[in-house]
Amino acid sequence: MSRSQTHLGDMNLKDFRKYGYRAIDWIANYLANPDKYPVLAQVKPGQIREALPKSPPENPETMDSILKDLDQIIVPGITHWNHPAFFAYFSLTGSVPGILGELLSAAFNVNAMLWKTSPAATELEQVVLDWLRQMLGLPADFQGIIYDTASISSLHAMTAAREALADLKVREEGLAGRSEIPRLRLYTSEQAHSSIEKGAILIGIGQRGVRKIPVDNEFRMDPAALRHAIEEDTRSGWRPFCVAATVGTTSTTSIDPVPEIAEICKEKGLWLHVDAAYGGAAAILPEMRHVLDGCERADSIVVNPHKWLFTPIDASAFYCRRPDTLRRAFSLVPEYLRTSEGETVRNYMDYGIQLGRRFRALKLWMIFRYFGHKGLAARIREHIGLARQFTSWIDDDPDFERLAPAPFSTVCFRARPKDLADLLEKSPKAADEIERYLNSLNEALLEAVNATGLAYLSHTRLRDRFVIRLAIGNIRTTESYVSRAWKLLRDHARRLDKEFRPSALRVHEDG
Ligand SMILES: *Cc1c(COP(=O)(O)O)cnc(C)c1O
């Protein structure tokens, strides 16, 4: 083959336009009604893999055939997070301005590691994070950086907290094999996200370096227990160094008492990190700003725009009031990355583990501008309103019960037929059997509702009870989807209870 016959280089731009427009049309059709698909992918494990070739394509293929397979093979295996009845986990949501931001940042394909490797990427990141800081009502001494996820943000917080123990020289000497230094202890609540414990594993303090503080009856960290734990540990030779509080815990969205925790941290000289990955976004509403009360005293805080600020995954906003400590923990500049701008610019690679960085600020800029603070707030307010509505349906139905307060847009509840509640009151000895039955009833209920493809909810476990969670956060969710989910829950609960209730728990047969 002669050189002139070889097709090198990128796709020709005539084809790019053709398929680019087609892809945009595809997206618009998809987003016009994502509810034509089942929310939860109805495929078996391995089904998608088996539909795909085992070996890589030897020869070029046409974009037509690739897009055809997208529809036929990939889409059936998609769980539709865009579906307005996606109520599982935290129902994170993207938005069209965010999709356009992703498209354009892929086109630029800049690496935002240094200021000079794309000044606009660095400076836009500084600006949009400062906008978000203002919307959240946090003070100006919080400096922001975007990481991919809250897990990584919290890992950076914990590493900075460890670096703040300057006398230990952990950066230089490590932790292993040093009998001259005490073991480090971090505190978080029993309800904290698993990423805190994972971070502890990574920074070398181990799972035993995490002490989980009990919660009150509303699942909030008990500050008296925190204080007691810190003092007890100090007496027995541990070195307390960090508290990770949560605003919006993963199971129930409970809010730790940050003002009291901040006071303890100040008194004991501990780093306070606040994990507000989901709940923080609500603080852009004036009437919800109180959820971040006390956070102005934290050393660091994470809020995920990809959770509840209409940003396509991934984007996690990390704020730190001690950026010099963060930088001391992470800055390590090899010769080939030295630049002459010095302290006049921010080189984001100095503030984190990764060198290469995506241009995530672009999508945030487009989203914040397109919706405005008011538009973002109005959508979150609607989600909170829908969750209140759902909460009132649960509370008013004698055959259901709510199992935690719902301060945001996530509701924890279970089916609990009224006659069983009555039975429990009359014969407390039956409690274990009733609880066992309710657990299996609710597990079956969740599965039955999800199998309809008309709604997708997830679960948690609270005090040994199987709990169904309904989380509202999708930009397309309206009341009709929430009420349809409620009807499904009621209908299936009634049916399953009739079918599966053990005879010993049948109270009165009135039919
Ligand atoms: C979602 C969530 C996380 C994990 O977020 P990632 O960005 O997926 O790592 C951590 N903490 C809380 C409170 C969360 O809601």
Side-chain angles (χ1 to χ4, degrees):
M1 209 185 278
S2 80
R3 276 193 116 160
S4 60
Q5 287 171 315
T6 316
H7 292 288
L8 298 178
D10 205 350
M11 176 191 277
N12 77 61
L13 295 177
K14 193 167 137 270
D15 280 356
F16 171 66
R17 277 181 214 279
K18 175 176 159 193
Y19 293 108
Y21 291 137
R22 201 193 280 179
I24 297 287
D25 282 338
W26 191 98
I27 294 168
N29 290 335
Y30 169 60
L31 294 180
N33 50 350
D35 55 343
K36 71 176 175 233
Y37 301 99
V39 195
L40 181 60
Q42 315 269 307
V43 293
K44 305 224 156 27
Q47 190 178 323
I48 309 296
R49 247 182 15 234
E50 272 158 32
L52 295 164
K54 293 265 176 300
S55 45
E58 192 68 29
N59 292 306
E61 298 188 57
T62 64
M63 197 44 84
D64 284 313
S65 71
I66 301 169
L67 291 176
K68 186 170 116 285
D69 286 349
L70 177 78
D71 277 318
Q72 295 186 348
I73 302 173
I74 304 300
V75 171
I78 296 287
T79 289
H80 292 279
W81 290 70
N82 284 302
H83 195 299
F86 188 106
F87 299 120
Y89 314 105
F90 284 123
S91 166
L92 54 83
T93 188
S95 63
V96 167
I99 294 171
L100 293 174
E102 285 282 8
L103 181 67
L104 291 166
S105 77
F108 288 127
N109 197 35
V110 299
N111 184 337
M113 57 191 189
L114 295 166
W115 176 83
K116 76 187 294 186
T117 58
S118 223
T122 293
E123 295 188 15
L124 191 62
E125 184 161 334
Q126 291 176 290
V127 168
V128 294
L129 287 180
D130 199 61
W131 288 356
L132 177 58
R133 176 193 66 72
Q134 292 174 49
M135 289 193 276
L136 294 169
L138 291 171
D141 56 348
F142 278 94
Q143 301 272 318
I145 178 167
I146 304 175
Y147 300 125
D148 54 0
T149 57
S151 304
I152 295 298
S153 292
S154 291
L155 171 64
H156 282 85
M158 293 157 71
T159 311
R162 193 186 64 180
E163 184 62 24
L165 305 169
D167 58 310
L168 300 189
K169 294 192 166 35
V170 177
R171 181 184 153 123
E172 295 79 10
E173 305 292 334
L175 284 171
R178 296 179 66 193
S179 53
E180 79 280 13
I181 62 169
R183 286 196 62 185
L184 306 183
R185 189 85 104 169
L186 175 146
Y187 305 83
T188 199
S189 96
E190 292 167 346
Q191 293 288 316
H193 189 265
S194 53
S195 56
I196 302 301
E197 207 168 327
K198 280 197 190 178
I201 295 168
L202 278 161
I203 66 167
I205 66 169
Q207 285 173 289
R208 281 200 46 213
V210 178
R211 184 155 174 184
K212 298 210 178 137
I213 304 301
V215 293
D216 66 12
N217 58 2
E218 297 193 358
F219 306 99
R220 302 169 297 199
M221 189 194 291
D222 173 359
L226 172 66
R227 175 184 294 279
H228 174 80
I230 293 169
E231 289 170 358
E232 185 178 76
D233 282 353
T234 306
R235 279 195 303 275
S236 53
W238 289 87
R239 172 97 174 250
F241 77 109
C242 182
V243 177
T246 313
V247 169
T249 56
T250 317
S251 276
T252 70
T253 72
S254 60
I255 303 166
D256 286 341
V258 177
E260 283 104 311
I261 295 169
E263 191 53 41
I264 295 170
C265 287
K266 179 169 164 236
E267 194 184 306
K268 309 282 182 194
L270 312 189
W271 185 287
L272 173 57
H273 173 60
V274 177
D275 178 359
Y278 154 77
I284 75 165
L285 277 60
E287 69 272 28
M288 290 293 286
R289 172 59 187 72
H290 62 89
V291 303
L292 291 185
D293 281 355
C295 291
E296 68 284 350
R297 299 173 67 190
D299 297 286
S300 57
I301 179 169
V302 55
V303 176
N304 269 8
H306 78 223
K307 274 271 170 73
W308 203 8
L309 278 170
F310 313 100
T311 305
I313 191 166
D314 50 16
S316 179
F318 179 71
Y319 292 95
C320 187
R321 272 204 314 149
R322 294 161 74 179
D324 291 346
T325 307
L326 184 65
R327 183 176 171 165
R328 231 176 33 237
F330 287 105
S331 180
L332 194 67
V333 186
E335 184 52 37
Y336 73 100
L337 291 171
R338 286 191 197 285
T339 60
S340 57
E341 288 81 20
E343 294 302 309
T344 59
V345 300
R346 172 83 44 92
N347 292 317
Y348 272 120
M349 69 163 196
D350 290 337
Y351 297 85
I353 187 70
Q354 61 184 104
L355 173 62
R357 311 181 68 251
R358 302 180 59 216
F359 187 5
R360 295 190 186 88
L362 190 63
K363 60 186 172 185
L364 287 177
W365 185 58
M366 297 182 75
I367 291 162
F368 292 169
R369 290 186 63 185
Y370 183 80
F371 294 110
H373 185 173
K374 279 193 181 145
L376 297 168
R379 285 164 176 80
I380 292 176
R381 186 174 291 122
E382 173 68 7
H383 293 160
I384 293 172
L386 290 172
R388 295 238 161 95
Q389 173 94 67
F390 184 80
T391 298
S392 72
W393 293 336
I394 294 283
D395 291 351
D396 293 345
D397 190 316
D399 292 329
F400 279 79
E401 77 176 324
R402 194 146 58 83
L403 293 165
F408 296 100
S409 65
T410 301
V411 188
C412 291
F413 62 97
R414 66 174 177 173
R416 187 235 33 205
K418 173 154 192 328
D419 61 329
L420 282 182
D422 298 342
L423 177 66
L424 188 58
E425 228 162 78
K426 266 184 273 159
S427 49
K429 275 202 301 250
D432 283 354
E433 194 177 0
I434 293 175
E435 288 296 338
R436 258 199 315 278
Y437 170 63
L438 289 178
N439 281 353
S440 62
L441 174 67
N442 281 280
E443 209 167 332
L445 173 58
L446 180 64
E447 206 160 294
V449 169
N450 289 344
T452 65
L454 296 173
Y456 179 30
L457 291 79
S458 58
H459 79 281
T460 187
R461 204 168 271 277
L462 296 170
R463 307 198 170 105
D464 283 334
R465 291 169 167 179
F466 186 93
V467 177
I468 302 180
R469 266 170 99 266
L470 176 128
I472 297 172
N474 189 280
I475 198 165
R476 290 177 182 77
T477 299
T478 57
E479 188 179 337
S480 62
Y481 291 100
V482 183
S483 61
R484 186 174 75 182
W486 174 226
K487 182 166 176 359
L488 286 169
L489 285 160
R490 270 184 330 181
D491 292 351
H492 284 278
R494 210 170 297 136
R495 175 182 65 77
L496 290 164
D497 186 36
K498 260 203 194 105
E499 269 175 53
F500 295 113
R501 170 118 44 125
S503 49
L505 295 180
R506 284 187 203 274
V507 193
H508 40 93
E509 305 276 334
D510 42 349

mmCIF file of all heavy atoms in Angstrom, residues 120-152:
data_model
loop_
_atom_site.group_PDB
_atom_site.id
_atom_site.type_symbol
_atom_site.label_atom_id
_atom_site.label_comp_id
_atom_site.label_asym_id
_atom_site.label_seq_id
_atom_site.Cartn_x
_atom_site.Cartn_y
_atom_site.Cartn_z
ATOM 1 N N ALA A 120 -7.108 29.203 30.899
ATOM 2 C CA ALA A 120 -8.557 29.371 31.057
ATOM 3 C C ALA A 120 -9.132 28.265 31.937
ATOM 4 O O ALA A 120 -10.055 28.507 32.716
ATOM 5 C CB ALA A 120 -9.243 29.376 29.700
ATOM 6 N N ALA A 121 -8.602 27.056 31.803
ATOM 7 C CA ALA A 121 -9.131 25.944 32.604
ATOM 8 C C ALA A 121 -8.888 26.216 34.085
ATOM 9 O O ALA A 121 -9.770 26.042 34.925
ATOM 10 C CB ALA A 121 -8.491 24.629 32.180
ATOM 11 N N THR A 122 -7.693 26.659 34.423
ATOM 12 C CA THR A 122 -7.352 26.931 35.821
ATOM 13 C C THR A 122 -8.154 28.112 36.359
ATOM 14 O O THR A 122 -8.756 28.039 37.439
ATOM 15 C CB THR A 122 -5.846 27.227 35.950
ATOM 16 O OG1 THR A 122 -5.139 26.021 35.636
ATOM 17 C CG2 THR A 122 -5.488 27.690 37.352
ATOM 18 N N GLU A 123 -8.184 29.194 35.592
ATOM 19 C CA GLU A 123 -8.836 30.390 36.125
ATOM 20 C C GLU A 123 -10.349 30.241 36.158
ATOM 21 O O GLU A 123 -11.011 30.737 37.067
ATOM 22 C CB GLU A 123 -8.362 31.629 35.345
ATOM 23 C CG GLU A 123 -6.866 31.843 35.604
ATOM 24 C CD GLU A 123 -6.301 33.140 35.056
ATOM 25 O OE1 GLU A 123 -7.070 34.054 34.710
ATOM 26 O OE2 GLU A 123 -5.052 33.229 34.977
ATOM 27 N N LEU A 124 -10.920 29.509 35.187
ATOM 28 C CA LEU A 124 -12.362 29.259 35.222
ATOM 29 C C LEU A 124 -12.688 28.385 36.442
ATOM 30 O O LEU A 124 -13.708 28.591 37.110
ATOM 31 C CB LEU A 124 -12.829 28.582 33.930
ATOM 32 C CG LEU A 124 -14.341 28.506 33.753
ATOM 33 C CD1 LEU A 124 -14.981 29.888 33.696
ATOM 34 C CD2 LEU A 124 -14.703 27.720 32.484
ATOM 35 N N GLU A 125 -11.827 27.435 36.741
ATOM 36 C CA GLU A 125 -12.048 26.581 37.926
ATOM 37 C C GLU A 125 -12.057 27.438 39.192
ATOM 38 O O GLU A 125 -12.925 27.282 40.060
ATOM 39 C CB GLU A 125 -10.958 25.499 38.003
ATOM 40 C CG GLU A 125 -11.155 24.503 39.136
ATOM 41 C CD GLU A 125 -10.371 23.202 38.943
ATOM 42 O OE1 GLU A 125 -10.073 22.830 37.790
ATOM 43 O OE2 GLU A 125 -10.055 22.552 39.956
ATOM 44 N N GLN A 126 -11.120 28.387 39.273
ATOM 45 C CA GLN A 126 -11.105 29.278 40.437
ATOM 46 C C GLN A 126 -12.388 30.093 40.523
ATOM 47 O O GLN A 126 -12.971 30.251 41.593
ATOM 48 C CB GLN A 126 -9.881 30.218 40.362
ATOM 49 C CG GLN A 126 -8.563 29.497 40.563
ATOM 50 C CD GLN A 126 -7.368 30.423 40.381
ATOM 51 O OE1 GLN A 126 -7.062 30.855 39.276
ATOM 52 N NE2 GLN A 126 -6.699 30.746 41.480
ATOM 53 N N VAL A 127 -12.830 30.580 39.368
ATOM 54 C CA VAL A 127 -14.007 31.464 39.363
ATOM 55 C C VAL A 127 -15.285 30.680 39.677
ATOM 56 O O VAL A 127 -16.073 31.076 40.535
ATOM 57 C CB VAL A 127 -14.120 32.215 38.017
ATOM 58 C CG1 VAL A 127 -15.473 32.905 37.897
ATOM 59 C CG2 VAL A 127 -12.987 33.231 37.901
ATOM 60 N N VAL A 128 -15.504 29.538 38.996
ATOM 61 C CA VAL A 128 -16.788 28.842 39.223
ATOM 62 C C VAL A 128 -16.851 28.268 40.639
ATOM 63 O O VAL A 128 -17.935 28.217 41.236
ATOM 64 C CB VAL A 128 -17.103 27.729 38.180
ATOM 65 C CG1 VAL A 128 -17.325 28.338 36.820
ATOM 66 C CG2 VAL A 128 -16.058 26.643 38.159
ATOM 67 N N LEU A 129 -15.696 27.865 41.169
ATOM 68 C CA LEU A 129 -15.731 27.360 42.544
ATOM 69 C C LEU A 129 -15.989 28.490 43.532
ATOM 70 O O LEU A 129 -16.609 28.288 44.575
ATOM 71 C CB LEU A 129 -14.443 26.609 42.883
ATOM 72 C CG LEU A 129 -14.336 25.237 42.212
ATOM 73 C CD1 LEU A 129 -13.027 24.564 42.590
ATOM 74 C CD2 LEU A 129 -15.504 24.340 42.581
ATOM 75 N N ASP A 130 -15.524 29.677 43.179
ATOM 76 C CA ASP A 130 -15.830 30.798 44.057
ATOM 77 C C ASP A 130 -17.313 31.180 43.937
ATOM 78 O O ASP A 130 -17.944 31.534 44.941
ATOM 79 C CB ASP A 130 -14.928 32.000 43.753
ATOM 80 C CG ASP A 130 -14.935 32.958 44.939
ATOM 81 O OD1 ASP A 130 -14.518 32.542 46.039
ATOM 82 O OD2 ASP A 130 -15.423 34.100 44.783
ATOM 83 N N TRP A 131 -17.873 31.069 42.735
ATOM 84 C CA TRP A 131 -19.327 31.292 42.592
ATOM 85 C C TRP A 131 -20.096 30.303 43.463
ATOM 86 O O TRP A 131 -21.024 30.665 44.176
ATOM 87 C CB TRP A 131 -19.770 31.083 41.139
ATOM 88 C CG TRP A 131 -19.348 32.150 40.175
ATOM 89 C CD1 TRP A 131 -18.693 33.318 40.447
ATOM 90 C CD2 TRP A 131 -19.573 32.128 38.756
ATOM 91 N NE1 TRP A 131 -18.489 34.022 39.287
ATOM 92 C CE2 TRP A 131 -19.023 33.315 38.236
ATOM 93 C CE3 TRP A 131 -20.172 31.232 37.877
ATOM 94 C CZ2 TRP A 131 -19.068 33.628 36.868
ATOM 95 C CZ3 TRP A 131 -20.220 31.531 36.519
ATOM 96 C CH2 TRP A 131 -19.677 32.719 36.029
ATOM 97 N N LEU A 132 -19.695 29.036 43.364
ATOM 98 C CA LEU A 132 -20.413 28.011 44.136
ATOM 99 C C LEU A 132 -20.250 28.277 45.640
ATOM 100 O O LEU A 132 -21.198 28.149 46.408
ATOM 101 C CB LEU A 132 -19.906 26.606 43.765
ATOM 102 C CG LEU A 132 -20.532 25.448 44.546
ATOM 103 C CD1 LEU A 132 -22.058 25.412 44.396
ATOM 104 C CD2 LEU A 132 -19.938 24.100 44.105
ATOM 105 N N ARG A 133 -19.042 28.650 46.037
ATOM 106 C CA ARG A 133 -18.813 28.994 47.449
ATOM 107 C C ARG A 133 -19.786 30.079 47.901
ATOM 108 O O ARG A 133 -20.394 29.979 48.980
ATOM 109 C CB ARG A 133 -17.364 29.479 47.644
ATOM 110 C CG ARG A 133 -17.066 29.957 49.051
ATOM 111 C CD ARG A 133 -15.757 30.708 49.151
ATOM 112 N NE ARG A 133 -15.763 31.975 48.422
ATOM 113 C CZ ARG A 133 -16.417 33.079 48.784
ATOM 114 N NH1 ARG A 133 -17.147 33.086 49.887
ATOM 115 N NH2 ARG A 133 -16.362 34.196 48.059
ATOM 116 N N GLN A 134 -19.957 31.105 47.056
ATOM 117 C CA GLN A 134 -20.882 32.183 47.427
ATOM 118 C C GLN A 134 -22.320 31.676 47.497
ATOM 119 O O GLN A 134 -23.067 32.030 48.405
ATOM 120 C CB GLN A 134 -20.790 33.326 46.413
ATOM 121 C CG GLN A 134 -19.451 34.056 46.453
ATOM 122 C CD GLN A 134 -19.346 35.086 45.345
ATOM 123 O OE1 GLN A 134 -20.249 35.890 45.141
ATOM 124 N NE2 GLN A 134 -18.250 35.064 44.618
ATOM 125 N N MET A 135 -22.712 30.842 46.537
ATOM 126 C CA MET A 135 -24.082 30.315 46.559
ATOM 127 C C MET A 135 -24.316 29.486 47.820
ATOM 128 O O MET A 135 -25.419 29.458 48.362
ATOM 129 C CB MET A 135 -24.358 29.469 45.307
ATOM 130 C CG MET A 135 -24.460 30.293 44.035
ATOM 131 S SD MET A 135 -25.162 29.347 42.645
ATOM 132 C CE MET A 135 -23.738 28.495 41.992
ATOM 133 N N LEU A 136 -23.249 28.788 48.274
ATOM 134 C CA LEU A 136 -23.368 27.950 49.470
ATOM 135 C C LEU A 136 -23.294 28.768 50.751
ATOM 136 O O LEU A 136 -23.531 28.244 51.851
ATOM 137 C CB LEU A 136 -22.255 26.890 49.488
ATOM 138 C CG LEU A 136 -22.301 25.829 48.379
ATOM 139 C CD1 LEU A 136 -21.004 25.032 48.352
ATOM 140 C CD2 LEU A 136 -23.497 24.900 48.549
ATOM 141 N N GLY A 137 -22.917 30.045 50.619
ATOM 142 C CA GLY A 137 -22.806 30.892 51.803
ATOM 143 C C GLY A 137 -21.604 30.556 52.661
ATOM 144 O O GLY A 137 -21.653 30.695 53.890
ATOM 145 N N LEU A 138 -20.514 30.120 52.040
ATOM 146 C CA LEU A 138 -19.289 29.832 52.793
ATOM 147 C C LEU A 138 -18.354 31.036 52.712
ATOM 148 O O LEU A 138 -18.360 31.759 51.706
ATOM 149 C CB LEU A 138 -18.589 28.595 52.214
ATOM 150 C CG LEU A 138 -19.306 27.259 52.423
ATOM 151 C CD1 LEU A 138 -18.617 26.152 51.614
ATOM 152 C CD2 LEU A 138 -19.359 26.887 53.901
ATOM 153 N N PRO A 139 -17.540 31.257 53.749
ATOM 154 C CA PRO A 139 -16.670 32.438 53.750
ATOM 155 C C PRO A 139 -15.566 32.379 52.683
ATOM 156 O O PRO A 139 -15.241 31.313 52.164
ATOM 157 C CB PRO A 139 -16.059 32.434 55.157
ATOM 158 C CG PRO A 139 -16.407 31.144 55.777
ATOM 159 C CD PRO A 139 -17.475 30.499 54.990
ATOM 160 N N ALA A 140 -15.005 33.548 52.394
ATOM 161 C CA ALA A 140 -14.072 33.685 51.273
ATOM 162 C C ALA A 140 -12.739 32.983 51.506
ATOM 163 O O ALA A 140 -11.970 32.793 50.562
ATOM 164 C CB ALA A 140 -13.842 35.163 50.979
ATOM 165 N N ASP A 141 -12.460 32.581 52.746
ATOM 166 C CA ASP A 141 -11.164 31.923 52.936
ATOM 167 C C ASP A 141 -11.199 30.443 52.542
ATOM 168 O O ASP A 141 -10.194 29.751 52.643
ATOM 169 C CB ASP A 141 -10.624 32.114 54.369
ATOM 170 C CG ASP A 141 -11.589 31.632 55.431
ATOM 171 O OD1 ASP A 141 -12.762 31.351 55.099
ATOM 172 O OD2 ASP A 141 -11.172 31.522 56.601
ATOM 173 N N PHE A 142 -12.330 29.946 52.056
ATOM 174 C CA PHE A 142 -12.371 28.588 51.509
ATOM 175 C C PHE A 142 -11.906 28.615 50.056
ATOM 176 O O PHE A 142 -12.518 29.270 49.219
ATOM 177 C CB PHE A 142 -13.788 28.008 51.573
ATOM 178 C CG PHE A 142 -14.156 27.423 52.903
ATOM 179 C CD1 PHE A 142 -14.819 28.177 53.857
ATOM 180 C CD2 PHE A 142 -13.832 26.106 53.202
ATOM 181 C CE1 PHE A 142 -15.158 27.645 55.089
ATOM 182 C CE2 PHE A 142 -14.175 25.557 54.434
ATOM 183 C CZ PHE A 142 -14.836 26.326 55.385
ATOM 184 N N GLN A 143 -10.804 27.909 49.781
ATOM 185 C CA GLN A 143 -10.271 27.828 48.421
ATOM 186 C C GLN A 143 -10.715 26.509 47.809
ATOM 187 O O GLN A 143 -10.639 25.474 48.461
ATOM 188 C CB GLN A 143 -8.742 27.850 48.470
ATOM 189 C CG GLN A 143 -8.169 29.083 49.131
ATOM 190 C CD GLN A 143 -7.966 30.197 48.129
ATOM 191 O OE1 GLN A 143 -7.505 29.970 47.016
ATOM 192 N NE2 GLN A 143 -8.347 31.411 48.521
ATOM 193 N N GLY A 144 -11.145 26.576 46.554
ATOM 194 C CA GLY A 144 -11.718 25.385 45.945
ATOM 195 C C GLY A 144 -10.815 24.683 44.948
ATOM 196 O O GLY A 144 -9.915 25.279 44.349
ATOM 197 N N ILE A 145 -11.070 23.386 44.791
ATOM 198 C CA ILE A 145 -10.447 22.586 43.732
ATOM 199 C C ILE A 145 -11.457 21.512 43.340
ATOM 200 O O ILE A 145 -12.225 21.043 44.188
ATOM 201 C CB ILE A 145 -9.105 21.963 44.192
ATOM 202 C CG1 ILE A 145 -8.497 21.089 43.091
ATOM 203 C CG2 ILE A 145 -9.256 21.147 45.481
ATOM 204 C CD1 ILE A 145 -7.034 20.685 43.338
ATOM 205 N N ILE A 146 -11.468 21.159 42.067
ATOM 206 C CA ILE A 146 -12.387 20.114 41.616
ATOM 207 C C ILE A 146 -11.647 18.777 41.559
ATOM 208 O O ILE A 146 -10.579 18.691 40.941
ATOM 209 C CB ILE A 146 -12.961 20.428 40.211
ATOM 210 C CG1 ILE A 146 -13.651 21.799 40.203
ATOM 211 C CG2 ILE A 146 -13.937 19.333 39.778
ATOM 212 C CD1 ILE A 146 -14.136 22.226 38.821
ATOM 213 N N TYR A 147 -12.187 17.774 42.222
ATOM 214 C CA TYR A 147 -11.713 16.401 42.035
ATOM 215 C C TYR A 147 -12.829 15.620 41.361
ATOM 216 O O TYR A 147 -13.896 16.173 41.075
ATOM 217 C CB TYR A 147 -11.362 15.753 43.381
ATOM 218 C CG TYR A 147 -10.287 16.451 44.185
ATOM 219 C CD1 TYR A 147 -10.518 16.855 45.498
ATOM 220 C CD2 TYR A 147 -9.017 16.683 43.648
ATOM 221 C CE1 TYR A 147 -9.532 17.468 46.266
ATOM 222 C CE2 TYR A 147 -8.026 17.305 44.408
ATOM 223 C CZ TYR A 147 -8.289 17.696 45.706
ATOM 224 O OH TYR A 147 -7.314 18.305 46.462
ATOM 225 N N ASP A 148 -12.594 14.319 41.158
ATOM 226 C CA ASP A 148 -13.642 13.567 40.456
ATOM 227 C C ASP A 148 -14.835 13.242 41.358
ATOM 228 O O ASP A 148 -15.982 13.384 40.953
ATOM 229 C CB ASP A 148 -13.081 12.301 39.794
ATOM 230 C CG ASP A 148 -12.320 11.392 40.741
ATOM 231 O OD1 ASP A 148 -12.199 11.719 41.950
ATOM 232 O OD2 ASP A 148 -11.844 10.334 40.290
ATOM 233 N N THR A 149 -14.553 12.789 42.585
ATOM 234 C CA THR A 149 -15.631 12.283 43.438
ATOM 235 C C THR A 149 -15.439 12.759 44.882
ATOM 236 O O THR A 149 -14.343 13.185 45.268
ATOM 237 C CB THR A 149 -15.631 10.743 43.455
ATOM 238 O OG1 THR A 149 -14.341 10.309 43.891
ATOM 239 C CG2 THR A 149 -15.937 10.165 42.086
ATOM 240 N N ALA A 150 -16.490 12.610 45.660
ATOM 241 C CA ALA A 150 -16.399 12.955 47.082
ATOM 242 C C ALA A 150 -15.433 12.019 47.804
ATOM 243 O O ALA A 150 -14.758 12.423 48.755
ATOM 244 C CB ALA A 150 -17.774 12.876 47.733
ATOM 245 N N SER A 151 -15.366 10.770 47.366
ATOM 246 C CA SER A 151 -14.438 9.832 48.002
ATOM 247 C C SER A 151 -13.020 10.369 47.902
ATOM 248 O O SER A 151 -12.255 10.345 48.877
ATOM 249 C CB SER A 151 -14.513 8.463 47.313
ATOM 250 O OG SER A 151 -15.830 7.975 47.326
ATOM 251 N N ILE A 152 -12.670 10.863 46.732
ATOM 252 C CA ILE A 152 -11.320 11.395 46.516
ATOM 253 C C ILE A 152 -11.157 12.725 47.256
ATOM 254 O O ILE A 152 -10.095 13.003 47.833
ATOM 255 C CB ILE A 152 -11.062 11.538 45.004
ATOM 256 C CG1 ILE A 152 -11.055 10.151 44.337
ATOM 257 C CG2 ILE A 152 -9.770 12.282 44.721
ATOM 258 C CD1 ILE A 152 -9.966 9.216 44.827
#
